[in-house]
Amino acid sequence: MSERPDRRPSPSAAKRAGWRRPADPTGATPPAGPPTGPQPAPAAPAPPNHRSVIDSAVYRDGRRIASPTSLADTFRQLREEPEGMAWIGLHRPTQRELHSLAAEFNLHELAVEDALEAHQRPKLERYGDTLFVVLRAARYLDAQEEVDFAELHIFVGPDFLITVRHGGAPDLSAVRRRMEGNPELLSLGPEAALYAILDAVVDGYAPVVEGVQTDIDEIETEVFRGDPAVSRRIYELSREMVEFQRATRPLVGMLHGLMAGFAKYGTDEELQRYLRDVADHVTHTSERVDGFRQALTEILTVNATLVSQQQNAEMRALAEAGFEQNEEIKKISAWAAILFAPTLVGTIYGMNFEDMPELRWAGGYPFAILLMAVVCVSLYVIFKKRDWL
């Protein structure tokens, strides 16, 4: 395919020699010079079956011309192609691999340190003619109903693009295939691949947004249904939205920063249109995430109010039950006291001692009966006035 007339020219071999180590005549990668300054501690060795280099390719005019199997072969073949571009995809690379890339492409040590340690916030930094981008990709896990976040570091230079992935998302192989299917776009250089990756990361947010929207709808139903486990679900989803907001909000400023440099760095007009579209999607996603956080806050408030109302109703029911129980106890106690009076009189006169007074009195029996009746009636009147009966 012939080169497009409006294509931004690739760097010349003379320019490349200024930031890359000279090639060895044999084609092998020359050893790096002695390191200067404090060196980080050696990284832990990678698992035996772990393969850091997922895909490595050299492109010319947007078409793959080589698929090296190692970083050394990639360096050698890129040196042999002054108009070529290398796209190297790594997954959790070792310290040795990143240091070899840093020596070959003159990557800044601070950016390399960030790529090694991961756990970085989304950001965009420029070190000379190299752009360092950190992205937080996200995917929605239906089975667990949760959001899984991954970190992606990208180095973009004059004729190379290096991706360092920490986590399962995004699927950069699909991005590479899509770009290879559009050689005219890929021929615009590493910036085109960067914007394609940005677009893939942002497009990956859409299923997450839909999944979270479904979760919020279900949570609203559970709240008004009185599900006791809904509070925990609201809390967990709120934490995920905080992480989601941290992943999306910085992208708005990052993309506007890239757009501000269109004129300065001579960005192709086609790429400018792609980037504006990605910026629009990021802004929309960020607004949706902000709305989710606000909605979850309001749902949590409503749930707390409903739980409080339910607790008040339960306390009221318990109080009413206790009041009714007290009323029953008072009635039982009143009748027990009334029945106790004749029992006491009958017990005294039933002892049958010979010397007891009034045993031989003719009016003793009527008097005892009258005494029992008077005491019972008196107690009944007293308890009735106090509403115990």
Side-chain angles (χ1 to χ4, degrees):
M1 173 182 172
S2 60
E3 186 177 8
R4 288 164 51 101
D6 57 348
R7 177 187 174 189
R8 182 176 55 82
S10 300
S12 62
K15 178 181 177 181
R16 181 178 300 158
W19 53 267
R20 181 178 299 166
R21 290 179 290 120
D24 187 81
T26 61
T29 304
T36 59
Q39 297 299 313
N49 296 328
H50 178 71
R51 185 171 180 268
S52 300
V53 182
I54 303 301
D55 196 358
S56 180
V58 177
Y59 299 88
R60 184 178 60 231
D61 294 331
R63 300 185 182 278
R64 184 189 288 241
I65 60 174
S67 300
T69 58
S70 66
L71 294 178
D73 290 340
T74 303
F75 303 156
R76 177 181 55 80
Q77 295 191 32
L78 183 59
R79 290 192 186 101
E80 296 173 355
E81 290 292 336
E83 300 298 321
M85 179 193 82
W87 184 346
I88 303 172
L90 305 173
H91 180 249
R92 292 178 180 172
T94 63
Q95 189 179 42
R96 180 186 297 273
E97 289 170 330
L98 273 182
H99 283 174
S100 68
L101 288 166
E104 177 69 19
F105 296 114
N106 195 27
L107 305 180
H108 198 278
E109 60 181 5
L110 294 179
V112 174
E113 182 181 352
D114 289 345
L116 275 173
E117 294 180 357
H119 306 294
Q120 303 294 318
R121 62 176 179 82
K123 60 181 180 179
L124 183 149
E125 295 176 344
R126 186 174 293 276
Y127 299 96
D129 56 1
T130 301
L131 196 64
F132 178 60
V133 182
V134 179
L135 302 175
R136 294 289 303 277
R139 58 178 177 173
Y140 185 78
L141 304 178
D142 290 324
Q144 295 85 354
E145 291 186 346
E146 61 183 25
V147 183
D148 177 47
F149 295 94
E151 199 163 319
L152 178 64
H153 301 251
I154 308 172
F155 297 89
V156 184
D159 60 350
F160 67 87
L161 183 136
I162 303 168
T163 59
V164 180
R165 188 159 50 93
H166 297 271
D171 184 8
L172 296 182
S173 61
V175 178
R176 189 188 291 262
R177 288 194 299 269
R178 181 164 63 88
M179 292 298 291
E180 289 178 350
N182 189 354
E184 291 187 358
L185 181 60
L186 186 55
S187 67
L188 297 177
E191 293 89 350
L194 170 63
Y195 297 155
I197 294 173
L198 286 169
D199 185 57
V201 170
V202 174
D203 285 348
Y205 293 152
V208 179
V209 169
E210 296 303 321
V212 171
Q213 182 65 67
T214 301
D215 286 347
I216 291 178
D217 293 341
E218 294 175 355
I219 285 174
E220 289 177 342
T221 303
E222 293 173 0
V223 164
F224 291 101
R225 195 171 54 196
D227 191 334
V230 70
S231 297
R232 181 181 182 87
R233 188 175 181 187
I234 295 173
Y235 173 73
E236 292 176 348
L237 190 58
S238 298
R239 290 189 60 184
E240 291 178 352
M241 288 304 96
V242 171
E243 291 296 321
F244 200 9
Q245 196 173 49
R246 290 174 181 171
T248 57
R249 180 172 289 179
L251 278 179
V252 178
M254 290 168 54
L255 292 174
H256 282 86
L258 283 175
M259 289 189 293
F262 283 163
K264 180 178 179 180
Y265 297 102
T267 305
D268 186 85
E269 292 184 1
E270 184 70 13
L271 295 183
Q272 293 183 28
R273 286 190 286 269
Y274 275 108
L275 186 60
R276 291 191 185 96
D277 181 68
V278 174
D280 290 341
H281 291 172
V282 168
T283 302
H284 176 71
T285 301
S286 181
E287 291 173 351
R288 291 287 301 275
V289 175
D290 291 342
F292 289 157
R293 285 202 63 186
Q294 181 66 28
L296 287 170
T297 301
E298 294 174 354
I299 291 173
L300 190 60
T301 302
V302 171
N303 182 65
T305 302
L306 293 176
V307 170
S308 178
Q309 291 177 351
Q310 182 179 2
Q311 291 175 345
N312 291 338
E314 292 175 355
M315 293 296 294
R316 190 183 304 110
L318 289 174
E320 292 175 355
F323 177 78
E324 293 176 358
Q325 186 177 11
N326 290 337
E327 292 298 316
E328 295 296 329
I329 291 175
K330 286 193 292 185
K331 290 180 181 179
I332 293 173
S333 300
W335 284 112
I338 293 173
L339 294 177
F340 174 74
T343 302
L344 176 62
V345 175
T347 301
I348 292 174
Y349 283 96
M351 290 188 291
N352 298 324
F353 289 111
E354 292 183 0
D355 294 333
M356 285 184 63
E358 303 163 353
L359 286 178
R360 300 183 183 278
W361 180 38
Y365 174 75
F367 175 76
I369 295 298
L370 179 63
L371 179 61
M372 294 179 189
V374 169
V375 172
C376 290
V377 170
S378 299
L379 291 175
Y380 180 83
V381 172
I382 292 172
F383 291 142
K384 191 70 175 178
K385 286 183 177 181
R386 295 184 178 182
D387 293 330
W388 281 38
L389 293 175

